Amino acid sequence: MERILRINMTSRTASFEPVPEAYRNRAGRWMTSSIVHDEVPATCHPLGPNNKVVFSPGIVTGTASPTSSRISVGGKSPLTGGIKEANAGAGWGRRLARLGIRAVVVEGQAKEKGWWLLKIDAKGAALEPAEAWTGKRLSDVYPALFARFGGREKVDICAVGVAGEFRMAAAGVCFNDQEGRPSRYAGRGGLGAVLGSKGLKAIVVDDSGAKEVPLADKILFDQGRKKLAAALGEHAITKPKGALNSYGTAVLVNILNEAGGLPTRNFREGRFEGASKIAGEAIFAGNKTRTGAEVYNHACSPGCVIRCSNTWHRPDGSEHTSCIEYESDWAFGADCGIDNLDDIAELCLLCNDYGLDTIEIGGTLAVAADGGAWRFGDGKRAIELVHEIGKGSPLGRILGSGAVVTGRAFGVSRVPHVKGQNMPAYEPRAIKGIGMTYAVSTMGADHTSGYTIAPEILGVSGKLDPLNPDKAELARNFQYATAFVDSTGHCLFIAFAILDIASGFEGTVEECNGVLGTKWTMDDVGRIGKEILDLERDFNRKAGFTALDDRLPEFMRSEPLPPHNTVWDVADRELDRVFAS
Amino acid sequence: MIDIHLYGKLRRFAPNGDPDSDSIVSVPHRDGDTVGSVTARLGIPDADLGANLFVDGRYADRRTPVRDGARVGLFPDDMQLLYKWYFRPPETGS
């Protein structure tokens, strides 16, 4: 029987309860957003006792389904003041699913000062003091925790770094990868600060003795998972030694640069002259030179067949860090004007170690450079500034609060954000479709909230010509489809394959039916996505958001972006139409 | 002249094919040039071209006209990570 584990940090008690009937088929983002919507007062202070942090593995997480180890983390965001779901690929959620735990709800707040570690295993859940693990870099904490709890094979770890301890709005929630590195982040929106506010430093999950995840219809599940696996194995982007496996997500640096949509030096330009030096191809070539071998990418989490997570190696061939994702590469690279991969790697490593969201911190440094705090391109100074965040110095506290606070502190009017969250690596003045997603997303500026899946495949919106789309309808359907994928436990990157190969998409729905015993069709994808978005939008409405928050920053309407020299010209009424019907 | 920026396995058609630099090949412009006519002159097989083709930073395909002085960016079929649905249709511009 599947359960919800509730951890009350006020009374320091753990209790299990059955999954309520209304939540029977919910998991992943669907579950976290449901619980946050139903239990968290929308007007509460994100760092106060009434906020909650909810963890939920996806519908098929823990099964033999490929690329399905995403863990969703939800709560009210201290960065945006709205609802947040951030997810990561990690073995941690798999273990939770195998223990029959559909969600962990962390609520209340420690009354006295102190830090706690939660251990979850087949016997139950218990809190223990965690003072010893605080104030340290996570690359020191994780190996010590693995040693304490029986090793990498036995447990997976979720923790916050010092940024979470400082309750900084740019603090993420860290999970270990398969090698035990503290490198996989539910990064965005400051949920690490919320965990920190509760006094919860880490959650260790041991699934020893757990049973397999029960399947309602094994034949249907196997049929679906095989269709999806075939699609992933066949598609040029997701197959072994395909684009993601060879170059990682950083292959996008050159593509966005060519499109004139790579935000450069705090969104002043759409092309970066150093793009080729930091792109996925340069990472692959640099690793080959430094290690003497072709280094193909690895899986961030168990069961991933796409395997897009990379490493960067020092001149002596030793590993420097994992992972230089496109977003991190861009945030510290083009957006900060830095074209040196060793500096970018160090900045990624520091964020992993201090517990920070790389997108928010890269964007924040760019805003700070615009405000005269340092010079664009000075990678060594950027590294010093991230150390300030790790120290919790007054300057570090400002930077760790994100781009909007930093913009205020330094008197900068060019702050590329929506709802308080810094924009990711796609320039909306060059790529209008993603701009609409940024504007209306319930999460603030977020590229993953509407990244995928053509509406004509989903069939939720009638017929659409992809080359002449109704933008509002397109933005809406992208977001519905994404919310569904975020609830399955699959990585969003399965979209590349299931977008082009219809049987892969069918297989994804069949797998869910095989696990849950439901009879969903492709049409249900849109229905479920709408249900999730409706919950999130309702929460944000109650938190005080209006249509006026669904807007891009003013400077984008007046400052033309080279090389296209275009401004953001999508009418407000078009944005308001996205969720109007 | 037309400057063609090549990426991935297409870099082999440029004089400098280093993957951490700009691989650019320049060809004289001819009347009526399109992405397809230019790639044909360079000997780039159609099968190697993906859907991430750009002319002056705008999303393009093989039929897209190429003016004198244009910048063309070509990514191979195994690198097409950017969705065409992000872009406005070429008729209306961006």
Side-chain angles (χ1 to χ4, degrees):
Chain A
M1 167 127 156
E2 290 202 281
R3 304 164 296 169
I4 290 176
L5 169 60
R6 210 171 272 276
I7 305 297
N8 188 314
M9 293 303 295
T10 313
S11 58
R12 290 207 294 275
T13 51
S15 58
F16 286 93
E17 58 196 60
V19 175
E21 180 56 27
Y23 294 173
R24 193 158 61 96
N25 297 325
R26 301 184 192 188
R29 177 173 169 186
W30 196 2
M31 179 67 98
T32 63
S33 288
S34 296
I35 293 178
V36 174
H37 174 271
D38 294 351
E39 297 188 12
V40 175
T43 52
C44 75
H45 195 289
L47 303 179
N50 293 321
N51 197 6
K52 304 190 182 194
V53 182
V54 185
F55 297 84
S56 179
I59 293 167
V60 301
T61 303
T63 69
S65 170
T67 310
S68 65
S69 293
R70 303 296 291 192
I71 175 75
S72 289
V73 189
K76 177 171 173 170
S77 163
L79 190 71
T80 68
I83 198 166
K84 175 57 64 177
E85 185 267 357
N87 63 70
W92 192 89
R94 265 181 90 77
R95 295 198 199 263
L96 215 55
R98 283 166 44 80
L99 288 167
I101 297 172
R102 190 84 73 79
V104 178
V105 182
V106 181
E107 55 194 27
Q109 198 156 49
K111 280 184 190 142
E112 63 272 31
K113 232 173 152 29
W115 290 98
W116 301 90
L117 178 147
L118 175 66
K119 171 79 189 301
I120 303 171
D121 57 29
K123 287 183 295 208
L127 289 160
E128 61 175 64
E131 210 71 49
W133 316 110
T134 59
K136 297 182 164 76
R137 288 173 69 147
L138 289 180
S139 59
D140 294 326
V141 172
Y142 273 58
L145 284 176
F146 280 124
R148 158 82 173 78
F149 289 100
R152 172 66 205 96
E153 295 304 311
K154 204 169 169 209
V155 299
D156 281 292
I157 300 165
C158 158
V160 298
V162 289
E165 295 172 28
F166 294 143
R167 299 180 298 283
M168 289 170 169
V173 177
C174 181
F175 299 87
N176 62 273
D177 72 1
Q178 296 202 90
E179 301 299 318
R181 301 179 190 96
S183 61
R184 309 308 316 183
Y185 267 80
R188 305 229 71 193
L191 292 174
V194 185
L195 273 182
S197 75
K198 302 201 171 300
L200 190 59
K201 172 70 186 172
I203 308 176
V204 178
V205 183
D206 177 349
D207 64 346
S208 304
K211 299 192 182 106
E212 296 298 312
V213 172
L215 302 172
D217 183 340
K218 186 169 185 325
I219 293 170
L220 184 61
F221 171 79
D222 282 340
Q223 177 183 310
R225 117 182 126 77
K226 283 175 188 165
K227 283 185 190 173
L228 175 59
L232 293 172
E234 180 187 327
H235 196 273
I237 306 302
T238 53
K239 70 182 181 185
K241 298 198 180 182
L244 281 170
N245 183 226
S246 298
Y247 306 114
T249 53
V251 65
L252 280 164
V253 171
N254 281 330
I255 299 175
L256 266 296
N257 193 55
E258 203 54 60
L262 185 74
T264 299
R265 287 178 280 268
N266 196 28
F267 289 69
R268 285 170 179 274
E269 301 148 76
R271 279 203 181 122
F272 180 43
E273 66 284 356
S276 301
K277 293 183 186 171
I278 64 168
E281 287 186 74
I283 295 173
F284 188 84
N287 281 336
K288 190 175 175 185
T289 304
R290 292 177 171 192
T291 66
E294 289 189 339
V295 182
Y296 284 93
N297 293 338
H298 59 269
C300 73
S301 54
C304 181
V305 297
I306 300 174
R307 304 166 69 88
C308 73
S309 181
N310 65 17
T311 49
W312 174 248
H313 296 261
R314 295 190 178 89
D316 67 2
S318 64
E319 183 181 305
H320 190 163
T321 194
S322 174
C323 162
I324 304 181
E325 299 282 7
Y326 167 57
E327 294 291 336
S328 312
D329 197 7
W330 156 80
F332 296 125
D335 202 32
C336 286
I338 296 171
D339 65 3
N340 180 315
L341 270 171
D342 290 315
D343 289 344
I344 291 168
E346 183 63 15
L347 289 160
C348 290
L349 177 66
L350 291 179
C351 284
N352 285 348
D353 266 8
Y354 293 142
L356 292 160
D357 171 19
T358 53
I359 300 178
E360 192 66 35
I361 292 303
T364 297
L365 290 177
V367 168
D370 239 344
W374 66 294
R375 275 182 300 109
F376 283 114
D378 184 352
K380 304 297 179 281
R381 181 63 188 142
I383 289 168
E384 288 171 4
L385 289 173
V386 175
H387 279 303
E388 291 298 314
I389 304 176
K391 284 188 277 193
S393 69
L395 174 59
R397 299 265 179 169
I398 291 171
L399 298 172
S401 301
V404 169
V405 168
T406 299
R408 283 195 191 123
F410 287 89
V412 178
S413 62
R414 184 188 295 97
V415 182
H417 76 100
V418 177
K419 300 183 180 74
Q421 181 166 284
N422 201 78
M423 280 183 191
Y426 304 84
E427 232 301 344
R429 284 168 288 183
I431 307 171
K432 311 287 166 128
I434 197 72
M436 292 190 73
T437 296
Y438 289 166
V440 303
S441 165
T442 49
M443 302 290 154
D446 179 352
H447 62 297
T448 66
S449 66
Y451 195 67
T452 182
I453 306 190
E456 63 267 56
I457 293 176
L458 293 171
V460 290
S461 62
K463 286 184 180 167
L464 270 182
D465 174 0
L467 290 175
N468 190 17
D470 173 320
K471 291 286 183 191
E473 195 162 8
L474 191 60
R476 179 169 62 238
N477 289 321
F478 267 47
Q479 298 206 27
Y480 288 165
T482 303
F484 176 80
V485 174
D486 285 343
S487 303
T488 62
H490 283 299
C491 172
L492 205 44
F493 288 167
I494 69 164
F496 290 112
I498 69 175
L499 180 73
D500 286 343
I501 304 168
S503 60
F505 189 66
E506 253 171 43
T508 308
V509 176
E510 287 169 359
E511 283 178 333
C512 291
N513 287 334
V515 171
L516 296 169
T518 44
K519 296 196 183 320
W520 293 341
T521 66
M522 311 273 258
D523 288 344
D524 288 299
V525 170
R527 174 188 63 77
I528 291 166
K530 180 176 188 312
E531 196 172 313
I532 298 165
L533 264 295
D534 285 351
L535 287 168
E536 293 173 352
R537 288 177 54 76
D538 189 52
F539 183 94
N540 283 356
R541 195 160 40 239
K542 288 174 183 161
F545 286 90
T546 70
L548 297 178
D549 295 294
D550 290 349
R551 300 289 183 265
L552 299 192
E554 185 186 27
F555 78 89
M556 290 191 166
R557 285 214 180 270
S558 55
E559 286 186 25
L561 178 84
H564 294 300
N565 295 314
T566 46
V567 296
W568 172 251
D569 57 357
V570 174
D572 289 347
R573 66 177 178 282
E574 206 172 337
L575 298 173
D576 294 340
R577 278 202 315 122
V578 173
F579 288 112
S581 56
Chain B
M1 296 296 279
I2 305 164
D3 281 346
I4 301 150
H5 293 241
L6 299 167
Y7 298 94
K9 63 187 176 187
L10 303 180
R11 288 180 189 267
R12 69 184 193 274
F13 294 97
N16 170 14
D18 291 344
D20 55 356
S21 66
D22 295 317
S23 298
I24 306 168
V25 55
S26 299
V27 298
H29 180 261
R30 291 182 192 169
D31 282 348
D33 256 343
T34 60
V35 171
S37 71
V38 172
T39 54
R41 284 216 290 288
L42 289 171
I44 297 174
D46 275 358
D48 283 1
L49 291 175
N52 283 175
L53 311 177
F54 299 90
V55 174
D56 291 323
R58 290 178 197 277
Y59 200 82
D61 61 28
R62 287 179 188 73
R63 295 161 302 177
T64 305
V66 178
R67 65 178 176 86
D68 196 8
R71 170 173 174 158
V72 177
L74 304 176
F75 292 88
D77 57 329
D78 62 358
M79 275 190 174
Q80 46 188 348
L81 260 75
L82 200 63
Y83 282 118
K84 58 190 170 194
W85 298 282
Y86 281 176
F87 295 86
R88 285 188 172 183
E91 303 84 68
T92 60
S94 55

